[in-house]
Amino acid sequence: MSEIKTLFKNVSWVTTSQVIVNLCAFFWTIAIARYLGVNDYGILSFAISFTVLLGMGTDIGMSTFSTREISQDRSKTQKYINNVIPFKILLSIALFIVTALILLILGYNKLTIEVALIISLETIFICMIKFIGGVFQAYENQKINSIGEMIAGILLLVFTLIVIAFDLGLIGVAVSYALAYLIFLIHMIFNMNKSFGIPKFEFDLSFWKRTAIRSIPFGLSIFFYTVYFSIDVVMIQFLSGDYATGLYNSAYKIVSVFAAFYVIYQYVIFPLMSKLYAEDTNLLKVSFEQSFKYSLLILLPLSIGVYLYSDYIINLIYSSQYALASPAMQILIWTIVFLFINGVATSLLNSIGKEVSVTKIYVVAAVFNIVLNYFMIPVLSYNGAAITTVLSEILILILMMYSISKTEYKPDLSLLKTIVKLIVCGIILAIVLHLINVSLWLAIPIGFVVYVLSLFITRTIDDTDKYIINELLNR
């Protein structure tokens, strides 16, 4: 099977799971937000962001590093499974204790502490799932993880409806998250044992030390990236309170539905890029440039649509009590475009051993984000945090492209021409939708036709695109 066909198979699995999971997420997000109200939804949002930040300590980049190493040499599989799992268990115990101590020291109320500790269990389960999923990812097998994600998504929706039906409150919602991902973890462990045998835990301290040190660049990249994507919620809660946090996160959750499709790229393309780096550097460059192009091609029209119809979308999903979240969503939706493009660049740099450069970029972005949020949130509240997030993504894009320009994978001028063409197509789409001013449901098919016609008129679809389409269609 060719690389393209293998890629298509994995994309099919991941896409299917993401569609189902995001469909479920769409409904549980609406249900939870409406059920809890703005204030309690703000508490839940804070707990998730806070524990995600601390949860980085249970991974320190080992999952990503292990995926790359196993992708390049599968004989290392058992060594990593037998050592990384017990190491992560110890880190998880430490995380739970540290989370409790920090919350107590900062003086949060009992309800917030209880919710955060329950959500921290979910974070621990996710970190372990990420490693096991990374092993299957290294074998270019996305089926197992995709099935697990679908199970977790469906169960979380079911559990949420049960919580609402029996009025179990905020604690019940938090338990639903933890329980759904516990079952997901059990699924992953079962399939890991089936595929690679039951792990024989090793406490090879020298291997732990060596792996931890080599994982740090990946870990720092993920940590600082997570900081500037999650610290805003924590800072809003601290500077503006639960109500503003609830409004901001309601907008962010809608945006995150689109952001979740970034998982398709990250899970499928990163191991392929690592493999291509060892086998065919020319194909690696093609993979980077085409991924860049397709990310912008797909996400630009989506962002334009959400921007123009944000008021309607917010009221449709959350009801009028969340109407003030509309401006934040209009701003945040543009992070999706930069998120995918920056993800393409990150995977390329990680694949060619430039993870230290990626780490430095995210350190700069995280510091920039925190400092700017400190000044923007007191003045513009959650809208200030939204602006800061977009500016942080733009900064990352600039630094990423600068780093890539210093390697042999510097994009050709043709990519810049393609970007200009796509922006022109986006402008045409925005003008047409603004002028016709129809409902969202009419705008979707009309916008689709206008955008596709624009792509062909500007000749954005080239011979490489046609070749890939023919390979996928098995012609």
Side-chain angles (χ1 to χ4, degrees), residues 240-261:
S240 298
D242 293 330
Y243 189 80
T245 305
L247 289 174
Y248 178 81
N249 206 56
S250 63
Y252 187 84
K253 281 295 183 181
I254 296 176
V255 174
S256 67
V257 170
F258 298 103
F261 285 93

Side-chain angles (χ1 to χ4, degrees), residues 235 238-239 367-379 384-385 388:
M235 293 182 72
F238 182 75
L239 296 172
V367 173
F368 173 81
N369 185 276
I370 293 171
V371 172
L372 194 56
N373 265 323
Y374 181 77
F375 292 102
M376 294 287 278
I377 293 175
V379 178
T388 299

Side-chain angles (χ1 to χ4, degrees), residues 8-23 146-147 149-150 261 264:
F8 181 67
K9 180 180 179 181
N10 285 325
V11 167
S12 298
W13 270 109
V14 179
T15 301
T16 300
S17 70
Q18 289 302 304
V19 168
I20 293 175
V21 169
N22 280 286
L23 185 62
S146 297
I147 292 174
E149 288 186 340
M150 288 186 280
F261 285 93
I264 298 174

Side-chain angles (χ1 to χ4, degrees), residues 80-155:
Y80 276 92
I81 290 176
N82 294 341
N83 278 277
V84 173
I85 290 178
F87 188 55
K88 288 173 73 72
I89 290 173
L90 295 177
L91 290 176
S92 298
I93 295 171
L95 166 69
F96 191 83
I97 295 172
V98 169
T99 301
L101 290 175
I102 292 176
L103 291 170
L104 288 170
I105 292 171
L106 294 178
Y108 283 98
N109 60 57
K110 181 181 178 182
L111 178 61
T112 301
I113 292 175
E114 290 176 349
V115 171
L117 289 178
I118 295 171
I119 295 297
S120 71
L121 293 177
E122 178 214 14
T123 302
I124 289 169
F125 300 150
I126 290 174
C127 288
M128 192 64 73
I129 289 167
K130 183 179 178 182
F131 169 71
I132 300 174
V135 175
F136 285 106
Q137 183 185 355
Y139 279 77
E140 298 179 61
N141 179 359
Q142 300 301 325
K143 178 179 179 180
I144 303 300
N145 194 68
S146 297
I147 292 174
E149 288 186 340
M150 288 186 280
I151 292 172
I154 294 170
L155 286 178

Side-chain angles (χ1 to χ4, degrees), residues 1 15 34 37 68 155-156 185 190 197 243 293 324 328 334 338 358 370 373 387 399 410 424 449 464:
M1 182 178 291
T15 301
R34 287 174 176 251
R68 190 186 73 174
L155 286 178
L156 183 51
L185 176 58
F190 172 80
Y243 189 80
K293 175 181 177 178
L324 293 175
W334 297 105
F338 295 110
V358 175
I370 293 171
N373 265 323
I387 293 171
L399 296 176
K410 179 181 179 180
V424 170
V449 172
T464 302

